[in-house]
Amino acid sequence: MPPGGLNKIKGDIAPLPIERRLVEFKLPAAIEFARVNQINRLIFDGPRRELGIVTAGKPYLDVREALKELDIDEARARALGIRLYKLGMIYPLEPHGAEQFCVDHKEVLVVEEKSAFIEDQLTSLLYHIAANRRPRITGKRDE
Protein backbone atom coordinates (compact mmCIF):
# COMPACT_ATOMS: atom_id res chain seq x y z
CA MET A 1 0.00 0.00 0.00
CA PRO A 2 1.21 3.48 -0.73
CA PRO A 3 1.54 5.98 2.11
CA GLY A 4 -1.96 7.30 2.76
CA GLY A 5 -3.67 4.28 1.16
CA LEU A 6 -5.38 3.96 -2.21
CA ASN A 7 -7.86 6.79 -1.89
CA LYS A 8 -7.29 10.35 -3.02
CA ILE A 9 -5.11 12.15 -0.53
CA LYS A 10 -6.08 15.66 0.57
CA GLY A 11 -3.88 18.21 -1.13
CA ASP A 12 -2.60 15.70 -3.72
CA ILE A 13 -2.85 17.69 -6.95
CA ALA A 14 0.40 16.83 -8.69
CA PRO A 15 -0.32 14.54 -11.67
CA LEU A 16 2.72 12.27 -11.32
CA PRO A 17 1.99 11.03 -7.77
CA ILE A 18 -1.67 10.54 -8.69
CA GLU A 19 -0.73 8.54 -11.79
CA ARG A 20 1.87 6.53 -9.85
CA ARG A 21 -0.75 5.58 -7.22
CA LEU A 22 -3.14 4.54 -10.00
CA VAL A 23 -0.67 2.46 -12.03
CA GLU A 24 1.36 0.91 -9.23
CA PHE A 25 -1.32 0.36 -6.60
CA LYS A 26 -4.96 0.95 -7.59
CA LEU A 27 -5.07 -1.05 -10.83
CA PRO A 28 -3.20 -4.05 -9.33
CA ALA A 29 -5.56 -3.91 -6.31
CA ALA A 30 -8.60 -3.94 -8.62
CA ILE A 31 -7.18 -6.89 -10.58
CA GLU A 32 -6.49 -8.85 -7.39
CA PHE A 33 -9.99 -8.05 -6.07
CA ALA A 34 -11.54 -9.39 -9.29
CA ARG A 35 -9.40 -12.55 -9.16
CA VAL A 36 -10.01 -13.35 -5.50
CA ASN A 37 -13.74 -12.65 -5.67
CA GLN A 38 -14.20 -14.44 -9.02
CA ILE A 39 -15.88 -11.42 -10.61
CA ASN A 40 -15.40 -13.00 -14.07
CA ARG A 41 -17.14 -16.34 -14.51
CA LEU A 42 -16.91 -19.38 -16.73
CA ILE A 43 -20.51 -20.01 -17.79
CA PHE A 44 -20.12 -22.89 -20.28
CA ASP A 45 -17.18 -25.24 -19.92
CA GLY A 46 -16.05 -28.46 -21.49
CA PRO A 47 -12.98 -30.42 -22.48
CA ARG A 48 -12.93 -29.25 -26.11
CA ARG A 49 -11.73 -25.75 -26.94
CA GLU A 50 -13.01 -24.95 -30.39
CA LEU A 51 -14.70 -21.57 -29.86
CA GLY A 52 -14.41 -19.42 -26.77
CA ILE A 53 -16.80 -16.51 -26.38
CA VAL A 54 -15.83 -13.59 -24.13
CA THR A 55 -18.52 -11.04 -23.34
CA ALA A 56 -19.94 -8.79 -20.62
CA GLY A 57 -23.07 -6.87 -19.67
CA LYS A 58 -25.88 -6.52 -22.22
CA PRO A 59 -23.92 -8.31 -24.97
CA TYR A 60 -23.76 -11.35 -22.66
CA LEU A 61 -27.57 -11.48 -22.69
CA ASP A 62 -27.53 -11.10 -26.47
CA VAL A 63 -25.09 -14.02 -26.78
CA ARG A 64 -27.25 -16.20 -24.55
CA GLU A 65 -30.31 -15.32 -26.65
CA ALA A 66 -28.44 -16.08 -29.88
CA LEU A 67 -27.31 -19.46 -28.52
CA LYS A 68 -30.89 -20.20 -27.47
CA GLU A 69 -32.14 -19.32 -30.98
CA LEU A 70 -29.56 -21.79 -32.36
CA ASP A 71 -30.74 -24.48 -29.90
CA ILE A 72 -27.36 -24.47 -28.17
CA ASP A 73 -27.75 -25.15 -24.47
CA GLU A 74 -24.89 -25.98 -22.10
CA ALA A 75 -24.80 -29.67 -23.06
CA ARG A 76 -24.78 -28.94 -26.79
CA ALA A 77 -22.16 -26.22 -26.32
CA ARG A 78 -19.96 -28.74 -24.49
CA ALA A 79 -20.36 -31.23 -27.36
CA LEU A 80 -19.51 -28.56 -29.95
CA GLY A 81 -16.52 -27.25 -28.00
CA ILE A 82 -18.08 -23.85 -27.30
CA ARG A 83 -17.10 -22.24 -24.01
CA LEU A 84 -18.50 -18.99 -22.61
CA TYR A 85 -16.68 -16.53 -20.31
CA LYS A 86 -18.64 -13.65 -18.75
CA LEU A 87 -16.66 -10.66 -17.57
CA GLY A 88 -18.00 -8.91 -14.49
CA MET A 89 -15.23 -6.32 -14.65
CA ILE A 90 -14.03 -5.24 -18.09
CA TYR A 91 -11.27 -2.88 -16.94
CA PRO A 92 -8.70 -3.63 -15.94
CA LEU A 93 -9.01 -7.10 -17.43
CA GLU A 94 -8.03 -9.73 -14.86
CA PRO A 95 -5.19 -11.47 -16.71
CA HIS A 96 -4.95 -14.85 -14.97
CA GLY A 97 -8.54 -15.96 -15.53
CA ALA A 98 -8.76 -14.48 -19.02
CA GLU A 99 -5.56 -16.19 -20.13
CA GLN A 100 -6.60 -19.53 -18.61
CA PHE A 101 -9.89 -19.31 -20.47
CA CYS A 102 -8.41 -18.35 -23.85
CA VAL A 103 -5.31 -20.55 -24.13
CA ASP A 104 -5.63 -23.53 -26.50
CA HIS A 105 -8.90 -22.40 -28.12
CA LYS A 106 -8.85 -22.37 -31.90
CA GLU A 107 -10.71 -19.07 -31.86
CA VAL A 108 -11.97 -16.58 -29.27
CA LEU A 109 -14.91 -14.40 -30.23
CA VAL A 110 -15.23 -11.13 -28.30
CA VAL A 111 -18.77 -9.77 -28.21
CA GLU A 112 -18.98 -6.27 -26.75
CA GLU A 113 -20.73 -2.96 -27.19
CA LYS A 114 -19.54 -0.09 -29.39
CA SER A 115 -15.74 0.14 -29.11
CA ALA A 116 -13.29 -2.77 -29.05
CA PHE A 117 -12.39 -2.29 -25.40
CA ILE A 118 -12.22 -5.92 -24.21
CA GLU A 119 -10.81 -7.12 -27.53
CA ASP A 120 -7.82 -4.75 -27.33
CA GLN A 121 -6.98 -5.78 -23.78
CA LEU A 122 -7.30 -9.47 -24.63
CA THR A 123 -5.12 -9.13 -27.72
CA SER A 124 -2.38 -7.44 -25.68
CA LEU A 125 -2.67 -10.01 -22.91
CA LEU A 126 -2.35 -13.02 -25.23
CA TYR A 127 0.41 -11.58 -27.40
CA HIS A 128 3.21 -13.32 -25.47
CA ILE A 129 1.64 -16.80 -25.62
CA ALA A 130 3.25 -19.35 -27.94
CA ALA A 131 1.64 -19.35 -31.38
CA ASN A 132 0.54 -23.00 -31.11
CA ARG A 133 -1.47 -22.18 -27.94
CA ARG A 134 -2.68 -18.68 -28.82
CA PRO A 135 -6.20 -18.44 -30.27
CA ARG A 136 -7.27 -16.35 -33.21
CA ILE A 137 -9.21 -13.42 -31.72
CA THR A 138 -12.28 -12.32 -33.62
CA GLY A 139 -14.14 -9.16 -32.77
CA LYS A 140 -15.35 -5.86 -34.16
CA ARG A 141 -12.61 -5.49 -36.74
CA ASP A 142 -13.07 -8.96 -38.22
CA GLU A 143 -15.40 -10.59 -40.70
Side-chain angles (χ1 to χ4, degrees):
M1 293 291 265
L6 294 175
N7 296 324
K8 181 171 174 44
I9 297 174
K10 185 177 180 179
D12 195 1
I13 59 171
L16 290 178
I18 293 171
E19 183 178 3
R20 179 176 177 263
R21 186 177 297 110
L22 173 69
V23 172
E24 292 182 16
F25 300 105
K26 287 184 175 185
L27 291 177
I31 289 169
E32 185 63 12
F33 178 86
R35 187 189 66 75
V36 168
N37 292 287
Q38 299 177 342
I39 300 296
N40 304 326
R41 303 204 183 236
L42 183 59
I43 305 299
F44 290 171
D45 196 8
R48 292 181 55 207
R49 290 182 175 226
E50 298 295 324
L51 175 65
I53 303 172
V54 177
T55 189
K58 171 73 167 68
Y60 166 75
L61 298 174
D62 296 339
V63 167
R64 291 300 300 260
E65 183 64 29
L67 292 171
K68 182 179 174 184
E69 291 286 326
L70 295 168
D71 291 324
I72 299 175
D73 59 5
E74 188 170 356
R76 184 137 188 250
R78 182 178 292 114
L80 294 169
I82 298 173
R83 299 173 74 231
L84 179 59
Y85 192 59
K86 180 185 180 191
L87 299 176
M89 183 173 87
I90 64 169
Y91 183 82
L93 186 62
E94 191 277 302
H96 180 73
E99 185 174 318
Q100 274 190 326
F101 175 78
C102 291
V103 167
D104 295 327
H105 276 98
K106 290 182 178 176
E107 181 172 0
V108 170
L109 172 64
V110 179
V111 182
E112 59 186 319
E113 295 183 84
K114 299 186 182 184
S115 64
F117 196 70
I118 298 167
E119 182 182 350
D120 290 345
Q121 291 181 85
L122 203 54
T123 301
S124 294
L125 174 68
L126 300 176
Y127 180 79
H128 74 280
I129 295 174
N132 64 329
R133 299 193 70 206
R134 184 176 53 234
R136 178 177 64 244
I137 297 177
T138 305
K140 292 198 174 306
R141 300 181 184 112
D142 304 294
E143 302 173 18

